[in-house]
Each structure stands twice: as C-alpha cells, then as structure tokens.
Amino acid sequence: MERLELQKDLVAVFRWTARLNMNEAVSNHFSVCLPNSNDSFYVNRAGIHFSRVKVSDLVLVERSNLEKIKKDPSLVDPTAINIHGEIHKRVPQAKCILHVHSKYATVLSTLKNPELPPIDQNTMRFYNRVSVLDNFGGLGFEEESKKMATCLGNKQLMLLANHGVLVTGQTVAQAFDDLYYFERACRTYIIALSTNKELKIASPEVAEKTAQECANYPIDLAGKHLKEIRSILDKEEPDYKN
C-alpha cells in the first residue's frame, strides 16, 4: 500500500504539471525513491506525455535491472537514468526529483546573471536556497549528471544554466510544492524585468526571515496542496491510478 500511494502521488504530479503547461512534449522526467532506499526508484516510462501518465507507466529502476534498462532506451530515457540515478545515489535529501524545462525557470536559466532577487514573497522563499550549475555541458548523460549531483550539494533546488530546473525533496509533495512556487517566483521576476522599471528588492534580513518562515510554516501546505490535486484528479481523471 505504501508503494502504491507513492506511485499515485508521483503520477498525480505528472498530470498536474501537464495542466500547468510546465512539461515539454514527451521529454522531462520525475522520479521517487522507494522508502528507505536511494538506489531503487520509480521513473516515468519513455515517450509518454505527462498528461497521460498512469501508475502502470512507472518503471522501477533497481540495481538488479539497471544494466538491462540502460540497454533499452525505449523503456526509460537514458538521461533520466543518468540524472536521477546519480543524484538519488549521491544526494541523501533527494528522495524525489522533478526535472522540467518550464517556461519561466528556463528563461531565468538563460540570463547571464540567473540569480532570483527577493522581490516578493515567492522569490523570498528561495532566497539563498538555489544552487546554479552555470556551465551547460550538453544533455544529461553520465558526465553532466555527475556535475549536477555535485552542484546540488545540500540545496533542494538547482537551476541548470541554458537548460531548466531540477527540484528535489524528501517527499513528492514537498518537491512539487517547491517546483510550483519556484516557477511562479520566476514568472514574477521575468515579468517585472519586462517593465524596464527599477525593482524594489527586499533587504537580505527580510528575505532570509521570510525564507525561514516559509520553511518552518506550522501547517503542511505542501501535503495539503498534493491532497487537493489528487482529490481533483480522482473526480476528473481517475485513470491516473491505473
């Protein structure tokens, strides 16, 4: 039952990401580790649009079948195996990994200075909490994946220069909530830049205080967020659980 609920959480996030138009064709990939593991994880089968992913479309990658899966790129995208496998293995807090080329985060990743200044509550949430891999080295094969794992360090989010964003979390709910709000934060910043007006940037003290308040919020808003998403999908797209 625990594994099935984990799968349903991940698939619900695929479906909702598609509704938000944050995925890209049949590329991008999400994964989540089995409980108490960092080298056995579910990831989406190659070639399926996020809006159609079902529980049965998740592939369990383990040591015992890793080499077999690597030999069949039609089963799991090779970049997914490399990126997610490497980060799950080397970064303890990365139990769930969500990687997308969402519109506004990707725009931010193309700027020479891709820092996200604290100009509103959402941008302050991520103040000093995003690592930046500032040299794009191609698609996420083995060498690039190792760079990603090293760059992420002890952060939860990583902006990939000229590429997109990668968000991690201890749970699917936590990772998706951060992905959702990071994209909104990037949207606010990019739209603010488009006005060509001077930005009102909060002080480091206020930005850090706000980030800590978000991290220590007394209600599990991330959990409630995902619960509501699943409730909507239960009514509108119940096949996600198949």
Side-chain angles (χ1 to χ4, degrees):
M1 181 61 71
E2 186 179 9
R3 286 194 183 191
L4 181 57
E5 288 306 306
L6 196 64
Q7 290 173 295
K8 289 178 182 177
D9 280 350
L10 189 65
V11 173
V13 165
F14 278 112
R15 295 287 183 106
W16 208 256
T17 299
R19 287 199 183 198
L20 297 173
N21 195 29
M22 289 169 61
N23 60 310
E24 189 164 76
V26 294
S27 300
N28 301 162
H29 14 81
F30 294 171
S31 65
V32 64
C33 289
L34 293 184
N36 305 313
S37 174
N38 65 348
D39 59 5
S40 296
F41 58 91
Y42 289 110
V43 67
N44 47 309
R45 187 180 298 271
I48 300 176
H49 196 274
F50 275 24
S51 65
R52 298 182 59 247
V53 174
K54 302 187 295 290
V55 164
S56 57
D57 294 318
L58 298 180
V59 177
L60 180 59
V61 179
E62 301 181 283
R63 289 186 198 178
S64 60
N65 66 3
L66 179 59
E67 292 307 315
K68 181 179 179 181
I69 289 175
K70 283 184 175 180
K71 292 176 182 177
D72 184 5
S74 66
L75 181 60
V76 178
D77 188 318
T79 60
I81 293 294
N82 282 282
I83 294 172
H84 294 248
E86 192 69 28
I87 294 175
H88 281 313
K89 181 173 65 177
R90 296 178 56 183
V91 184
Q93 78 270 19
K95 297 301 183 185
C96 178
I97 301 173
L98 310 179
H99 171 48
V100 292
H101 306 154
S102 52
K103 181 177 180 179
Y104 292 99
T106 302
V107 171
L108 180 64
S109 81
T110 69
L111 303 183
K112 187 171 184 179
N113 177 5
E115 292 181 9
L116 189 63
I119 59 172
D120 78 327
Q121 184 170 292
N122 288 339
T123 52
M124 291 182 213
R125 170 175 173 153
F126 301 104
Y127 182 70
N128 282 341
R129 285 157 172 79
V130 181
S131 64
V132 179
L133 181 62
D134 61 4
N135 56 326
F136 179 72
L139 301 182
F141 292 107
E142 189 171 349
E143 183 179 347
E144 193 73 0
S145 299
K146 289 179 179 178
K147 284 165 50 181
M148 290 181 187
T150 299
C151 180
L152 181 62
N154 62 359
K155 301 287 179 66
Q156 297 289 118
L157 291 89
M158 178 166 54
L159 194 68
L160 309 170
N162 309 107
H163 187 167
V165 64
L166 186 145
V167 182
T168 73
Q170 289 282 351
T171 65
V172 175
Q174 180 190 41
F176 179 72
D177 203 58
D178 276 349
L179 174 63
Y180 174 84
Y181 280 104
F182 186 71
E183 179 69 4
R184 291 182 69 88
C186 293
R187 182 181 70 177
T188 297
Y189 178 48
I190 298 304
I191 293 175
L193 287 179
S194 73
T195 68
N196 291 316
K197 302 290 186 180
E198 185 175 359
L199 300 178
K200 184 175 178 62
I201 300 176
S203 69
E205 293 77 16
V206 168
E208 179 59 32
K209 177 176 181 289
T210 304
Q212 290 183 13
E213 289 173 341
C214 289
N216 300 318
Y217 203 73
I219 302 173
D220 179 17
L221 293 179
K224 290 181 180 296
H225 188 184
L226 182 53
K227 183 179 179 181
E228 284 299 294
I229 288 171
R230 283 190 53 175
S231 293
I232 294 168
L233 292 175
D234 284 346
K235 292 181 179 180
E236 298 180 1
E237 300 179 35
D239 68 310
Y240 83 95
K241 297 179 287 187
N242 295 343

